Amino acid sequence: AQSVTQPDIHITVSEGASLELRCNYSYGATPYLFWYVQSPGQGLQLLLKYFSGDTLVQGIKGFEAEFKRSQSSFNLRKPSVHWSDAAEYFCAVGARTGRRALTFGSGTRLQVQP
Amino acid sequence: GAVVSQHPSRVICKSGTSVKIECRSLDFQATTMFWYRQFPKQSLMLMATSNEGSKATYEQGVEKDKFLINHASLTLSTLTVTSAHPEDSSFYICSASPGTVNSGANVLTFGAGSRLTVL
């Protein structure tokens, strides 16, 4: 069965500082990988996804993530955090064939200090 | 892009009543939709897969008689919480993709969610 681990429950960074959110997955093969962001009381917005090809993927809002097969990781990064980035971030994996439901990690809550 | 609409966004009901939540794909047809449940400050847990024209597939531990799912058309799936109790209070989110089951490259679009509070 596939699973996703986000080791950091809560992260606080200063505005303008760099950010890295960790994500590790367990899957029998190479899955599809996603990062979503959720503001309080809202649905999920897709930040970026990895299907194949270049292991460094660019997303919206200045985010990027790197797929490292050897480490089963898909960490999310941003060079300079803005106050509006404060939210909950979810890493998710999905199968390449068959059922397309996603499995989510437990989430990382990002707080941005002025 | 693909848009998924959920209604209502918030609902408060009394214990013992039933509540229906609608999930619509606005600009595409979705043969499959997924219903997730999210407890406060927790992750999304898949409840069931809604299949147009056939029975829903429920995840282990989800009571199918309590959470009735109907996928009557290619653009509408409904989740009915029957005889709701306070422990059913949660954030329910649906998602869908315009792709086919075996087209894994498609990306799920999520609705804005429906917050259910059972008094």
Side-chain angles (χ1 to χ4, degrees):
Chain A
Q2 57 200 44
S3 66
V4 181
T5 301
Q6 292 181 247
D8 304 306
I9 297 174
H10 187 196
I11 284 182
T12 300
V13 299
S14 298
E15 189 168 17
S18 63
L19 171 71
E20 181 169 29
L21 303 183
R22 295 183 290 167
C23 172
N24 292 94
Y25 67 89
S26 175
Y27 190 70
T30 301
Y32 290 130
L33 295 161
F34 306 83
W35 274 99
Y36 285 87
V37 60
Q38 183 182 36
S39 297
Q42 302 296 314
L44 278 73
Q45 180 182 23
L46 178 68
L47 285 176
L48 47 78
K49 61 186 183 293
Y50 172 77
F51 288 164
S52 64
D54 192 348
T55 56
L56 182 64
V57 294
Q58 302 296 320
I60 62 172
K61 303 183 179 184
F63 286 92
E64 67 177 26
E66 185 171 13
F67 168 58
K68 292 186 177 180
R69 185 190 307 273
S70 62
Q71 299 177 19
S72 296
S73 69
F74 189 57
N75 295 348
L76 180 71
R77 301 194 294 252
K78 186 170 185 178
S80 179
V81 171
H82 188 262
W83 64 266
S84 60
D85 293 324
E88 188 87 20
Y89 291 81
F90 292 97
C91 180
V93 299
R96 289 179 172 266
T97 59
R99 198 173 76 164
R100 287 175 287 113
L102 299 184
T103 299
F104 287 86
S106 55
T108 298
R109 181 169 297 277
L110 173 66
Q111 187 172 356
V112 180
Q113 289 182 332
Chain B
V3 177
V4 173
S5 173
Q6 264 187 259
H7 179 80
S9 59
R10 294 177 181 271
V11 56
I12 301 173
C13 69
K14 293 181 179 180
S15 185
T17 61
S18 295
V19 174
K20 180 183 288 187
I21 299 170
E22 294 186 345
C23 178
R24 294 181 183 273
S25 55
L26 297 186
D27 48 2
F28 65 97
Q29 295 182 331
T31 56
T32 303
M33 292 184 175
F34 303 99
W35 286 95
Y36 288 85
R37 182 175 182 176
Q38 185 180 31
F39 290 102
K41 299 184 178 181
Q42 294 190 27
S43 187
L44 285 78
M45 302 300 296
L46 180 66
M47 298 176 63
T49 302
S50 174
N51 305 297
E52 189 270 335
S54 64
K55 292 183 179 180
T57 305
Y58 290 83
E59 295 300 299
Q60 190 173 7
V62 177
E63 299 177 61
K64 61 180 180 180
D65 293 330
K66 165 165 278 294
F67 299 101
L68 299 180
I69 291 174
N70 186 349
H71 197 148
S73 76
L74 287 171
T75 58
L76 174 64
S77 175
T78 59
L79 169 67
T80 301
V81 183
T82 62
S83 186
H85 291 282
E87 58 266 29
D88 299 323
S89 298
S90 192
F91 195 54
Y92 295 89
I93 306 177
C94 71
S95 66
S97 168
T100 60
V101 171
N102 289 318
S103 181
N106 291 288
V107 177
L108 290 181
T109 297
F110 286 81
S114 299
R115 182 165 303 284
L116 170 63
T117 302
V118 185
L119 302 176

